[in-house]
Amino acid sequence: MELAFTPRQRAFRAEVRAWLADNVPRTPLASYDTREGFEQHREWERRLFDARLSMVMWPEALGGRGCDLIEWLIFEEEYYASGAPLRVNQNGQLLLGPTLMEFGTEAQKQRFLPRMASSEDMWAQGWSEPNAGSDMAAITSKAIREGDHYVLNGQKTWSTRAIYADWLFGLFRSDPASSRHHGLSFLTVPLDSPGVTIRPIRALNGKEAFAEIFFDDVRVPVENRIGDEGKGWHVAMATAGFERGLLLRSPGRFQHTTRRLVALYQAHREVADRDPAIRDAVCESWMGAEAYALSAYHTVGRLAKGARIGDEASTNKIVWSELDLKMHETAMRILGARGELVAEAPEAEDGASWLEGFLFAQAGPIYAGTNEIQRNIIAERMLGLPKS
């Protein structure tokens, strides 16, 4: 593969780099797992939208810039390299957005996508339930049709930042006699609807990063359904494909982290080299991030020729989640006990960002479908191995 950028792509990279250099906040925003930080990030993403840089690959008429996926990868590389704030509306913009592009009606696209691109509407996922986590086909929350509305009852849990979000998208069982993958519908729900109760769940760092959501006779218009009634599983699998396969974790994020890891190793080399395995882990992390980047360019090249993201998304998800763990575990080994200092401690390294990243990385093999489930998918669908 020859990776050479066109003059247009190089010009786009230069424009993005210059804008970020002028606009990235000099003072870090508060954590988006707090109300204050969430609203700061909403305002930042509004500034990106005003510069037509929030969703560069969406059509201009829907709030984007009309870029292709190669330009999106370029944007992501520059975004993370600049040290810009992490994005808080990814559930909407990177997961539901592409799903609407594929399955939404024209009216739904016009209604949801521009407000999503500008972060006027912030979105949360509604997949997991108390007895339906990795086994999403076990969903029991119901959406019973009454005229031109669905009436929702049930519970969702582990919904990231739902306590601050405006909307939720998720699967509900619209055919009460159905089971497993059948009879599910994909709905969007305003989180200020009567009958919705949201309770925060604290993450390992003590912040209210997750929530459980209760639905008690919540009425949702039929026009909020994405795709056909009872065919929500098919729609949700497309969303999961975007999540695991390409969009949720762009390579730029990991390349930036490995550059920081190399710098951390160099700054503490005398101590780190007491264990040669640390140096090997730093090298493996850097190579892993670069290989992931090349793989992403290969994937968007296939998509440009009409291919679709398939079961290989499971391989991708395992790669980025385990790479994230390896990078942060290696950093914590370099820092030793000092790596466990919280951000308020005077001796904390880089504002305790490595500790925050280490804690977040623990969730990587779980969310977006556990890695155990992904390995089963690889075994059955890609390798053709028997189930037992």
Side-chain angles (χ1 to χ4, degrees), residues 65-374:
R65 190 184 171 108
C67 293
D68 61 24
L69 285 172
I70 293 287
E71 290 168 324
W72 171 71
L73 286 172
I74 290 171
F75 171 81
E76 290 286 297
E77 290 173 2
E78 293 300 321
Y79 188 86
Y80 283 103
S82 73
L86 294 177
R87 307 286 293 276
V88 74
N89 203 16
Q90 292 186 335
N91 280 330
Q93 294 173 341
L94 299 182
L95 303 183
L96 180 60
T99 304
L100 282 166
M101 296 281 188
E102 185 167 348
F103 294 97
T105 64
E106 192 57 36
Q108 288 171 333
K109 293 175 186 176
Q110 294 294 336
R111 176 187 178 191
F112 291 124
L113 291 174
R115 292 177 61 86
M116 191 183 294
S118 65
S119 289
E120 290 171 88
D121 292 335
M122 306 291 257
W123 290 79
Q125 279 192 38
W127 297 142
S128 296
E129 297 184 359
N131 294 308
S134 294
D135 184 12
M136 202 162 67
I139 280 174
T140 60
S141 289
K142 293 181 173 56
I144 304 303
R145 182 85 174 256
E146 288 188 3
D148 57 359
H149 282 73
Y150 290 100
V151 179
L152 311 187
N153 282 283
Q155 179 187 353
K156 300 292 182 180
T157 192
W158 297 114
S159 185
T160 304
R161 288 179 285 282
I163 192 170
Y164 311 121
D166 306 299
W167 284 79
L168 172 139
F169 62 90
L171 279 181
F172 295 83
R173 194 162 294 283
S174 52
D175 178 358
S178 66
S179 65
R180 302 299 296 167
H181 312 85
H182 306 286
L184 296 165
S185 292
F186 192 110
L187 299 177
T188 61
V189 185
L191 287 174
D192 61 356
S193 300
V196 171
T197 303
I198 307 174
R199 296 176 181 168
I201 299 174
R202 293 188 184 278
L204 282 172
N205 59 9
K207 297 185 176 70
E208 295 176 341
F210 306 103
E212 53 184 350
I213 307 168
F214 300 87
F215 303 89
D216 295 297
D217 294 328
V218 177
R219 297 181 68 82
V220 173
V222 169
E223 57 259 33
N224 282 22
R225 189 190 68 230
I226 311 299
D228 294 335
E229 183 172 280
K231 303 297 182 183
W233 183 263
H234 178 58
V235 181
M237 288 303 97
T239 306
F242 297 131
E243 184 177 34
R244 299 166 187 160
L246 181 64
L247 295 179
L248 184 64
R249 294 289 177 257
S250 72
R253 176 187 181 120
F254 301 95
Q255 290 174 299
H256 176 58
T257 303
T258 52
R259 285 194 290 270
R260 291 179 56 227
L261 180 62
V262 170
L264 183 72
Y265 165 74
Q266 290 172 331
H268 299 272
R269 185 167 185 173
E270 185 176 347
V271 175
D273 277 349
R274 294 173 186 172
D275 180 357
I278 290 179
R279 181 184 57 205
D280 293 346
V282 172
C283 293
E284 289 167 5
S285 296
W286 187 87
M287 290 188 292
E290 292 302 309
Y292 180 44
L294 292 173
S295 172
Y297 276 104
H298 176 65
T299 297
V300 300
R302 288 178 49 241
L303 295 176
K305 295 177 180 177
R308 297 173 61 88
I309 294 176
D311 295 329
E312 74 278 7
S314 296
T315 308
N316 212 49
K317 195 269 172 171
I318 292 172
V319 167
W320 59 248
S321 60
E322 295 189 351
L323 175 60
D324 204 30
L325 271 177
K326 188 179 194 65
M327 292 186 300
H328 288 91
E329 287 173 351
T330 303
M332 296 298 282
R333 289 168 64 191
I334 293 173
L335 292 170
R338 202 152 59 92
E340 300 177 17
L341 294 173
V342 297
E344 294 75 17
E347 300 297 323
E349 182 87 14
D350 196 15
S353 62
W354 287 111
L355 175 60
E356 288 285 322
F358 172 78
L359 294 176
F360 182 79
Q362 306 308 306
I366 301 172
Y367 68 80
T370 68
N371 285 8
E372 286 77 10
I373 294 292
Q374 304 316 308

